[in-house]
Amino acid sequence: DGQSTISGCQFDGMTLGEYLNSVWEGRAVLGKNCEAFGQFPVLIKFIDAKDPLSIQVHPSDEYALRVEGEYGKTEMWYVVDCDEGATLLYGFKHEITKEEFARRIADNTLLEVTNAVPVKKGDVFFIKSGTLHAIGKGILIAEIQQNSNTTYRVYDYGRVGKDGKPRELHVEKAKEVTNLVPPK
């Protein structure tokens, strides 16, 4: 939700949005494939996970546009660094049904069927929309993703929000969009 700021040139100090709205070429500098998007279509984050992050899934563009009114999300992770023995979650060990998926979320046994993948510095993962995923403890990643906030959380390690209550899970929507087979 924050704008990148340009540094070290004639546009020093401008946000990317200000630059796109002020230069002679305007949004045309992004190329013709960006014309369909109301906002810059790529988001890059650095995520330093000191604890395991929530298990989540993102919908496809088609589903997200229909249900959420914004694009879905596919992302790519580059492991910048990690602790020895660190793992991330990437899909399932074996195929499960929607009913088993919902049951395992409800009874806190989802981790029994998820695919924990050991990581090392330099690893790259393509997280296609519909793939269940989570960044594990002790991993620093560069995340390159579609610029979308549509995320369906299904497991959160018992965390609570600022209100002291468990953070919201999005089980029904996740059931509709999650690919319930091992990643290829």
Side-chain angles (χ1 to χ4, degrees):
D1 292 319
Q3 288 272 331
S4 294
T5 303
I6 299 169
S7 176
C9 67
Q10 68 189 34
F11 304 106
D12 189 64
M14 293 179 82
T15 66
L16 180 59
E18 291 168 340
Y19 170 78
L20 295 175
N21 291 323
S22 68
V23 297
W24 181 77
E25 299 91 356
R27 289 182 53 84
V29 299
L30 300 176
K32 67 177 181 150
N33 291 333
C34 288
E35 291 173 2
F37 300 96
Q39 62 186 10
F40 191 70
V42 177
L43 182 61
I44 300 171
K45 299 177 184 177
F46 288 95
I47 301 172
D48 191 0
K50 301 296 184 196
D51 291 305
L53 301 186
S54 62
I55 299 173
Q56 56 188 248
V57 65
H58 307 294
S60 66
D61 287 341
E62 180 277 324
Y63 181 93
L65 285 167
R66 181 172 43 85
V67 175
E68 306 291 348
E70 71 172 7
Y71 285 92
K73 187 186 300 188
T74 289
E75 52 197 23
M76 190 276 308
W77 292 346
Y78 173 78
V79 178
V80 176
D81 203 2
C82 61
D83 293 344
E84 188 171 329
T87 62
L88 57 78
L89 188 146
Y90 185 63
F92 294 92
K93 293 178 186 175
H94 56 79
E95 185 172 358
I96 65 171
T97 65
K98 287 183 180 188
E99 293 74 25
E100 181 181 0
F101 183 48
R103 179 183 56 77
R104 287 187 175 276
I105 293 168
D107 66 17
N108 288 318
T109 61
L110 184 62
L111 292 173
E112 294 175 8
V113 294
T114 56
N115 187 31
V117 179
V119 295
K120 64 184 181 321
K121 185 177 180 175
D123 283 348
V124 175
F125 295 86
F126 181 70
I127 314 292
K128 185 176 178 179
S129 62
T131 303
L132 196 73
H133 62 280
I135 302 167
K137 176 182 179 177
I139 302 174
L140 171 63
I141 68 161
E143 179 179 84
I144 298 98
Q145 65 177 63
Q146 284 179 269
N147 192 353
S148 168
N149 286 320
T150 304
T151 298
Y152 302 143
R153 183 184 309 122
V154 297
Y155 186 81
D156 203 26
Y157 300 93
R159 290 187 182 97
V160 294
K162 292 177 183 176
D163 61 1
K165 296 178 183 175
R167 296 196 310 172
E168 180 181 6
L169 300 181
H170 311 96
V171 178
E172 290 307 312
K173 288 180 178 178
K175 279 175 37 182
E176 293 182 41
V177 303
T178 303
N179 186 356
L180 299 170
V181 298
K184 295 181 181 184

